[in-house]
Amino acid sequence: MHEFGLAQEIFRIVIAAALRNRAAEVRKVVVVAGAMRAVVESQLAFHFTVIARGSVAEGAQLVVETLPARGRCPGCGSEFDAPQFDLACPRCGSAETTLIQGGELLVKEIEIAGS
């Protein structure tokens, strides 16, 4: 269950931004998670809620936007969707591919209310 650690890091980023902007309240946090991260949104939201108690982020809505996995084959140059974590090139069958999207985890947006 890696969601607890992810929630801690998201909280750290959110609190730092809230302090820099003198926020009285964090209302919403939008996170982009690549499909290869295999984030369980409900678990991430639960852990974030627990960690945020007693802070300016208490009660903030956590929204997770999932990016599909995409790969690139250096052999034939093909770019392709990689459903079910299958990174084999659908054009030439090579397993020597590179993940070009789907491994991300970033805080995209933090909605705050002033002091």
Side-chain angles (χ1 to χ4, degrees), residues 25-66:
E25 175 186 13
V26 175
R27 294 183 176 160
K28 181 177 169 184
V29 179
V30 179
V31 174
V32 175
M36 297 297 272
R37 288 287 187 153
V39 172
V40 178
E41 186 175 346
S42 62
Q43 287 294 313
L44 184 62
F46 170 77
H47 291 301
F48 183 82
T49 298
V50 170
I51 293 167
R53 284 188 189 142
S55 74
V56 295
E58 182 171 7
Q61 176 189 14
L62 183 69
V63 177
V64 178
E65 297 176 355
T66 304

Side-chain angles (χ1 to χ4, degrees), residues 7-113:
Q8 286 179 310
E9 186 60 19
I10 292 166
F11 178 74
R12 185 191 66 72
I13 292 166
V14 167
I15 292 302
L19 288 172
R20 276 194 311 276
N21 291 284
R22 296 182 177 87
E25 175 186 13
V26 175
R27 294 183 176 160
K28 181 177 169 184
V29 179
V30 179
V31 174
V32 175
M36 297 297 272
R37 288 287 187 153
V39 172
V40 178
E41 186 175 346
S42 62
Q43 287 294 313
L44 184 62
F46 170 77
H47 291 301
F48 183 82
T49 298
V50 170
I51 293 167
R53 284 188 189 142
S55 74
V56 295
E58 182 171 7
Q61 176 189 14
L62 183 69
V63 177
V64 178
E65 297 176 355
T66 304
L67 284 177
R70 289 193 48 79
R72 177 180 296 129
C73 178
C76 71
S78 176
E79 288 191 11
F80 55 90
D81 291 331
Q84 286 92 28
F85 308 115
D86 181 7
L87 286 175
C89 179
R91 183 189 287 171
C92 70
S94 174
E96 302 296 321
T97 60
T98 303
L99 182 68
I100 60 171
Q101 176 182 290
E104 303 85 351
L105 182 68
L106 58 97
V107 176
K108 177 181 173 184
E109 177 183 331
I110 303 169
E111 182 181 315
I112 61 172

